[in-house]
Amino acid sequence: MSEIIWDLALIQKYNQSGPRYTSYPTALEFNEHYTNEDFIAATQRYPDRPLSLYVHIPFCHKLCYFCGCNKVITRHQHKADIYLDFLEKEIKARSKLFTNRVATQVHWGGGTPTYLTEAQSARLMNMLREHFNISENAEVSIEMDPREIELSMLDHLRNIGFNRISMGVQDFNKDVQKAVNREQDEAFVNALLVRARELGFQSTNLDLIYGLPLQTVESFMFTLQKVIELNPDRLSVFNYAHLPSRFAGQAKIKEWQLPKPETKLEILQKTIETLGNAGYKFIGMDHFAKPDDELAIAQQKGILHRNFQGYTTQEECDLLGLGVSAISLLGDTYAQNQKDLKTYYAHVEENGIALHKGLAMTEEDCLRRDVIKQLICNFKLAYTPLEKQYNINFKQHFAEDLALLAPLAADGLLEIGDEQIVVSPKGRLLIRNICLCFDTYSRVQAKQQQFSRII
């Protein structure tokens, strides 16, 4: 069976707004009724689960106009020292709840985690190792900006324990780079990847964005060929969502410079074809990986997982987020730290923590989370495991949802069988539409355009 089939008429028909489903329910449902007592109780729900640690580093040297991340633009390096002082207080407070847990995954995101100097990054890693039980075989990954670091930084990162890297490339076309204020050296990106392999990094990922100003089908295919020559293990190819009312920096991007919707669709179509021909597997939701990569193997086995960092193999982990705006997934609850840096500092100073809001899931939330996760990760859903776990009759319980799915099934996006749902090659690109039928929260919000477009 073909991995994916491009059907332009169906894509245009279903190209509405919808969540990316890095969580269910989505972060829009988090509320301030969630307390630290809820957080503590959540840590005790599954006490034997391994731990995944996420650390948010908000600082960047320059503003990339397309960015929608929580970041602070500054060249004052001492601000990172101040941040680490407060982060250390939070780490000390939170780690007491996890003394019997083993961390099998560590990820630094941002912002720009490689904003930290060698001394600062070593300090942070030492803090984590001092206060958490980090497995010798842990996945330890970091997001990198190739513009503001020396090649020797890779040696340092490897020395302090990192074994996976992800780099934002976005586009190699110089005019596009200037238009989004992210100019970078293609040769240096290549040198970083070569050095990463020499040092024994286990996985390399490059991020690209389509839909940026001045992009054409031809210019993006030029970038893609360069990227294929670089030979990363994984690729993320994201759709740029122009939302200047939400992200102030995007106001610097001129709308007339953006490619037309039909151009974006052609870029995506040719990207999927080109990467497929180059040997990459379409994992889903903008992600591609080589067939021997852990993500592709996990999907083949039906054990792929998805969280706030995207696709992951670590299904059984509780996720602890540390730092400004970081999100945790503990037990059956979500918790998010304060998003504003000064407010984060004030709360940590006063309480040792900076909890802002969260959500304690109901059993129905958990059931629907599991349905959506299976569909978005593995493109199929068997009824029996869910019926046993939640003591339901699947078809009766989801009668309304299956009715919403019926038109999508009639269009060939999926097959609804007596024992399982299977997403077709035509439906894989539109998996968010399929998941939306099971999402009781977001159906209304999607119609109100609170999310980015699906394609």
Side-chain angles (χ1 to χ4, degrees):
M1 183 177 75
S2 173
E3 199 174 287
I4 188 165
I5 291 176
W6 182 273
D7 188 317
L8 181 59
L10 285 177
I11 288 167
Q12 290 174 328
K13 177 178 179 178
Y14 286 104
N15 192 14
Q16 63 188 86
S17 299
R20 301 187 63 81
Y21 292 116
T22 51
S23 74
Y24 180 83
T26 70
L28 287 175
E29 306 308 323
F30 297 178
N31 61 75
E32 294 182 28
H33 300 300
Y34 185 92
T35 66
N36 193 48
E37 287 69 34
D38 295 323
F39 186 99
I40 292 169
T43 67
Q44 298 162 357
R45 177 74 190 273
Y46 304 108
D48 299 323
R49 276 187 179 174
L51 199 58
S52 175
L53 300 174
Y54 171 75
V55 185
H56 191 81
I57 311 296
F59 304 108
C60 294
H61 292 99
K62 294 178 182 174
L63 175 66
C64 301
Y65 297 159
F66 57 79
C67 183
C69 299
N70 186 295
K71 73 273 185 189
V72 175
I73 311 299
T74 179
R75 288 198 167 272
H76 298 293
Q77 199 67 41
H78 73 279
K79 290 190 175 182
D81 290 315
I82 296 168
Y83 184 71
L84 292 179
D85 290 341
F86 284 93
L87 195 55
E88 185 168 19
K89 292 178 183 178
E90 186 190 4
I91 287 170
K92 285 179 178 177
R94 286 307 192 203
S95 62
K96 293 172 185 174
L97 300 170
F98 301 95
T99 53
N100 297 322
R101 306 269 201 119
V102 176
T104 57
Q105 192 176 51
V106 180
H107 181 77
W108 295 9
T112 305
T114 49
Y115 181 95
L116 301 182
T117 64
E118 291 189 8
Q120 288 167 339
S121 55
R123 177 189 172 193
L124 175 53
M125 188 62 83
N126 288 337
M127 281 166 15
L128 293 172
R129 293 192 184 281
E130 179 184 351
H131 294 286
F132 294 99
N133 306 312
I134 299 178
S135 166
E136 288 184 12
N137 302 315
E139 288 184 13
V140 189
S141 58
I142 187 168
E143 297 169 13
M144 296 175 56
D145 182 345
R147 296 173 301 168
E148 297 281 345
I149 61 172
E150 300 294 329
L151 195 60
S152 59
M153 178 56 104
L154 267 182
D155 296 68
H156 170 71
L157 293 173
R158 190 75 186 94
N159 286 337
I160 64 174
F162 285 98
N163 51 38
R164 287 162 171 76
I165 58 169
S166 179
M167 269 191 284
V169 167
Q170 323 315 349
D171 196 303
F172 277 135
N173 181 282
K174 295 300 178 187
D175 292 332
V176 175
Q177 290 179 3
K178 288 176 184 174
V180 297
N181 199 36
R182 190 183 175 92
E183 296 180 60
Q184 56 198 5
D185 183 355
E186 180 186 325
F188 186 61
V189 173
N190 181 54
L192 284 168
L193 286 174
V194 170
R195 186 64 182 145
R197 292 188 187 99
E198 291 172 352
L199 291 168
F201 280 87
Q202 294 168 25
S203 179
T204 53
N205 176 80
L206 295 184
D207 289 343
L208 303 176
I209 298 178
Y210 69 96
L212 293 177
L214 305 182
Q215 278 180 343
T216 64
V217 176
E218 293 73 23
S219 74
F220 199 77
M221 289 307 103
F222 168 85
T223 287
L224 209 56
Q225 289 300 334
K226 295 286 185 184
V227 165
I228 289 168
E229 290 169 16
L230 294 175
N231 198 29
D233 300 301
R234 300 175 186 175
L235 276 166
S236 303
V237 188
F238 295 108
N239 169 24
Y240 171 63
H242 190 59
L243 301 166
S245 60
R246 283 183 60 190
F247 306 113
Q250 293 187 358
K252 295 179 181 292
I253 291 176
K254 307 294 184 284
E255 288 207 36
W256 63 266
Q257 294 182 311
L258 296 175
K260 291 180 168 58
E262 54 268 28
T263 303
K264 287 180 71 172
L265 284 177
E266 190 176 350
I267 288 173
L268 179 60
Q269 180 185 11
K270 290 190 178 298
T271 295
I272 292 167
E273 289 174 0
T274 304
L275 291 178
N277 292 336
Y280 286 90
K281 246 181 87 64
F282 177 75
I283 301 298
M285 286 290 297
D286 325 307
H287 285 65
F288 300 81
K290 291 183 178 178
D292 58 353
D293 185 87
E294 292 169 332
L295 290 184
I297 293 168
Q299 188 175 64
Q300 191 73 30
K301 292 179 178 177
I303 56 171
L304 191 63
H305 181 55
R306 188 164 170 81
N307 62 21
F308 295 99
Q309 284 90 63
Y311 289 104
T312 173
T313 58
Q314 304 260 350
E315 182 176 13
E316 290 306 315
C317 286
D318 268 353
L319 170 66
L320 174 63
L322 298 160
V324 63
S325 77
I327 299 177
S328 301
L329 168 55
L330 301 166
D332 295 319
T333 81
Y334 297 108
Q336 183 169 25
N337 280 347
Q338 294 287 345
K339 294 181 181 180
D340 173 73
L341 190 58
K342 286 184 180 178
T343 310
Y344 170 81
Y345 287 162
H347 280 251
V348 171
E349 184 65 37
E350 185 175 351
N351 306 309
I353 61 170
L355 179 65
H356 174 40
K357 56 186 178 179
L359 179 72
M361 284 182 271
T362 65
E363 185 168 316
E364 184 69 16
D365 289 337
C366 294
L367 168 59
R368 290 176 180 272
R369 172 201 63 194
D370 291 349
V371 166
I372 287 170
K373 186 175 75 174
Q374 283 297 319
L375 287 168
I376 208 162
C377 289
N378 302 309
F379 296 122
K380 58 186 176 183
L381 174 72
Y383 306 154
T384 303
L386 292 166
E387 289 179 328
K388 288 180 178 177
Q389 182 178 351
Y390 290 98
N391 193 28
I392 60 165
N393 177 297
F394 186 91
K395 285 201 160 183
Q396 288 179 7
H397 190 91
F398 289 107
E400 182 183 341
D401 311 271
L402 292 172
L404 290 171
L405 274 178
L408 284 70
D411 279 336
L413 302 187
L414 70 157
E415 292 180 11
I416 304 173
D418 291 331
E419 296 180 356
Q420 65 177 356
I421 291 170
V422 179
V423 179
S424 73
K426 282 185 183 179
R428 291 189 170 200
L429 266 179
L430 298 164
I431 188 64
R432 289 160 74 182
N433 299 77
I434 293 168
C435 292
L436 196 60
C437 293
F438 289 98
D439 181 347
T440 52
Y441 293 96
S442 299
R443 292 171 192 157
V444 175
Q445 292 160 347
K447 289 175 184 172
Q448 295 169 346
Q449 299 284 311
Q450 293 206 31
F451 302 105
S452 62
R453 290 212 168 256
I454 282 172
I455 300 292

